[in-house]
Coordinates of all heavy atoms in Angstrom, one line a residue:
Q79 N -14.4 24.9 -17.1 CA -14.7 24.9 -18.5 C -14.5 26.3 -19.1 O -14.0 26.3 -20.3 CB -15.9 24.3 -18.8 CG -16.0 22.9 -18.5 CD -17.4 22.2 -19.0 OE1 -18.2 22.8 -19.3 NE2 -17.2 20.8 -19.1
R80 N -14.5 27.3 -18.4 CA -14.3 28.6 -19.1 C -12.7 29.1 -19.1 O -12.4 30.0 -19.7 CB -15.1 29.7 -18.3 CG -14.7 29.8 -16.9 CD -15.6 30.7 -16.0 NE -15.2 30.8 -14.7 CZ -15.1 31.9 -14.1 NH1 -15.3 32.9 -14.6 NH2 -14.6 31.9 -12.8
D81 N -12.0 28.2 -18.4 CA -10.5 28.5 -18.3 C -9.7 27.7 -19.5 O -10.3 27.0 -20.2 CB -9.9 28.0 -17.0 CG -10.7 28.7 -15.9 OD1 -11.0 29.9 -16.0 OD2 -10.9 27.9 -14.8
R82 N -8.5 28.1 -19.6 CA -7.6 27.5 -20.7 C -6.4 27.1 -20.2 O -5.9 27.6 -19.1 CB -7.4 28.6 -21.8 CG -8.6 29.3 -22.3 CD -9.4 28.5 -23.3 NE -10.6 29.0 -23.8 CZ -11.8 28.6 -23.4 NH1 -12.0 27.8 -22.5 NH2 -12.8 29.2 -23.9
I83 N -5.6 26.2 -21.0 CA -4.2 25.8 -20.6 C -3.5 26.1 -22.1 O -3.9 25.6 -23.2 CB -4.0 24.5 -20.3 CG1 -4.8 24.3 -18.8 CG2 -2.5 24.1 -20.1 CD1 -4.5 22.8 -18.3
E84 N -2.4 26.9 -22.0 CA -1.7 27.0 -23.2 C -0.5 26.0 -23.3 O 0.2 26.0 -22.3 CB -1.1 28.5 -23.3 CG -0.2 28.8 -24.4 CD 0.4 30.1 -24.5 OE1 -0.4 31.1 -24.1 OE2 1.5 30.2 -24.8
I85 N -0.5 25.2 -24.3 CA 0.5 24.2 -24.5 C 1.2 24.5 -25.8 O 0.6 24.6 -26.9 CB 0.0 22.8 -24.5 CG1 -0.9 22.6 -23.2 CG2 1.0 21.7 -24.7 CD1 -1.8 21.4 -23.3
D86 N 2.6 24.7 -25.8 CA 3.3 24.9 -27.0 C 2.8 26.0 -27.8 O 2.7 25.9 -29.1 CB 3.4 23.7 -27.9 CG 4.1 22.4 -27.2 OD1 5.1 22.8 -26.4 OD2 3.8 21.4 -27.4
G87 N 2.3 27.1 -27.1 CA 1.8 28.3 -27.8 C 0.4 28.2 -28.3 O -0.1 29.1 -28.9
R88 N -0.2 27.1 -28.1 CA -1.6 27.0 -28.4 C -2.6 26.8 -27.3 O -2.2 26.1 -26.3 CB -1.6 25.7 -29.4 CG -3.1 25.5 -30.0 CD -3.1 24.2 -30.9 NE -4.4 24.0 -31.4 CZ -4.7 22.9 -32.1 NH1 -3.8 22.0 -32.3 NH2 -6.0 22.8 -32.5
N89 N -3.7 27.5 -27.3 CA -4.8 27.4 -26.3 C -5.7 26.3 -26.3 O -6.1 26.0 -27.4 CB -5.6 28.7 -26.3 CG -4.9 30.0 -25.7 OD1 -4.1 29.7 -24.7 ND2 -5.0 31.0 -26.3
Y90 N -5.9 25.7 -25.2 CA -6.7 24.4 -25.1 C -7.8 24.8 -24.1 O -7.6 25.3 -23.1 CB -6.0 23.2 -24.7 CG -5.1 22.8 -25.9 CD1 -3.8 23.2 -26.0 CD2 -5.5 21.7 -26.7 CE1 -2.9 22.8 -27.1 CE2 -4.7 21.2 -27.8 CZ -3.4 21.8 -27.9 OH -2.5 21.3 -28.9
A91 N -9.1 24.4 -24.4 CA -10.1 24.7 -23.5 C -10.2 23.5 -22.3 O -10.0 22.4 -22.7 CB -11.5 24.6 -24.2
V92 N -10.4 23.8 -21.2 CA -10.5 22.9 -20.1 C -11.8 22.1 -20.2 O -12.9 22.7 -20.4 CB -10.4 23.5 -18.7 CG1 -10.7 22.5 -17.5 CG2 -9.0 24.1 -18.5
I93 N -11.8 20.8 -20.3 CA -13.0 20.0 -20.3 C -13.3 19.4 -19.0 O -14.4 19.4 -18.6 CB -12.9 18.8 -21.4 CG1 -12.4 19.4 -22.8 CG2 -14.1 17.9 -21.4 CD1 -13.4 20.3 -23.2
N94 N -12.3 19.0 -18.3 CA -12.6 18.2 -17.0 C -11.3 18.5 -16.1 O -10.2 18.3 -16.6 CB -12.8 16.8 -17.1 CG -13.3 16.1 -15.9 OD1 -14.2 16.5 -15.2 ND2 -12.5 15.1 -15.5
W95 N -11.6 18.7 -14.8 CA -10.5 18.9 -13.7 C -10.8 17.8 -12.7 O -11.8 17.7 -12.1 CB -10.7 20.2 -13.1 CG -9.8 20.5 -11.9 CD1 -10.2 20.2 -10.6 CD2 -8.6 21.2 -11.8 NE1 -9.2 20.6 -9.7 CE2 -8.2 21.2 -10.4 CE3 -7.8 21.7 -12.7 CZ2 -7.0 21.8 -10.1 CZ3 -6.6 22.4 -12.3 CH2 -6.2 22.4 -11.0
D96 N -9.8 16.9 -12.6 CA -9.9 15.8 -11.7 C -8.8 15.8 -10.6 O -7.7 15.5 -10.8 CB -9.7 14.4 -12.4 CG -9.7 13.2 -11.6 OD1 -9.9 13.3 -10.3 OD2 -9.6 12.0 -12.2
N97 N -9.3 16.2 -9.4 CA -8.3 16.2 -8.3 C -8.6 15.1 -7.3 O -8.3 15.2 -6.0 CB -8.4 17.6 -7.6 CG -9.7 18.0 -7.0 OD1 -10.7 17.4 -7.4 ND2 -9.7 19.0 -6.1
Y98 N -9.3 14.1 -7.7 CA -9.5 12.9 -6.8 C -8.7 11.6 -7.2 O -8.3 10.9 -6.3 CB -11.0 12.6 -6.9 CG -11.9 13.7 -6.3 CD1 -12.7 14.5 -7.1 CD2 -11.9 13.9 -4.9 CE1 -13.3 15.4 -6.6 CE2 -12.7 14.9 -4.3 CZ -13.5 15.8 -5.3 OH -14.2 16.7 -4.7
T99 N -8.5 11.5 -8.4 CA -7.8 10.3 -8.8 C -6.4 10.1 -8.3 O -6.0 9.0 -8.0 CB -7.7 10.2 -10.5 OG1 -9.1 10.4 -10.9 CG2 -7.1 8.9 -10.8
R100 N -5.7 11.1 -8.3 CA -4.4 11.2 -7.7 C -4.2 11.8 -6.3 O -3.4 12.7 -6.0 CB -3.4 11.8 -8.6 CG -3.3 11.1 -10.0 CD -2.6 11.9 -11.0 NE -2.4 10.9 -12.1 CZ -3.3 10.6 -13.2 NH1 -4.4 11.0 -13.0 NH2 -2.9 9.8 -14.0

Side-chain angles (χ1 to χ4, degrees):
Q79 290 185 344
R80 61 191 184 126
D81 300 323
R82 307 282 179 260
I83 296 181
E84 182 183 315
I85 304 167
D86 295 328
R88 185 171 174 195
N89 284 321
Y90 291 83
V92 171
I93 303 302
N94 188 54
W95 170 276
D96 176 2
N97 62 340
Y98 294 105
T99 304
R100 290 170 172 78

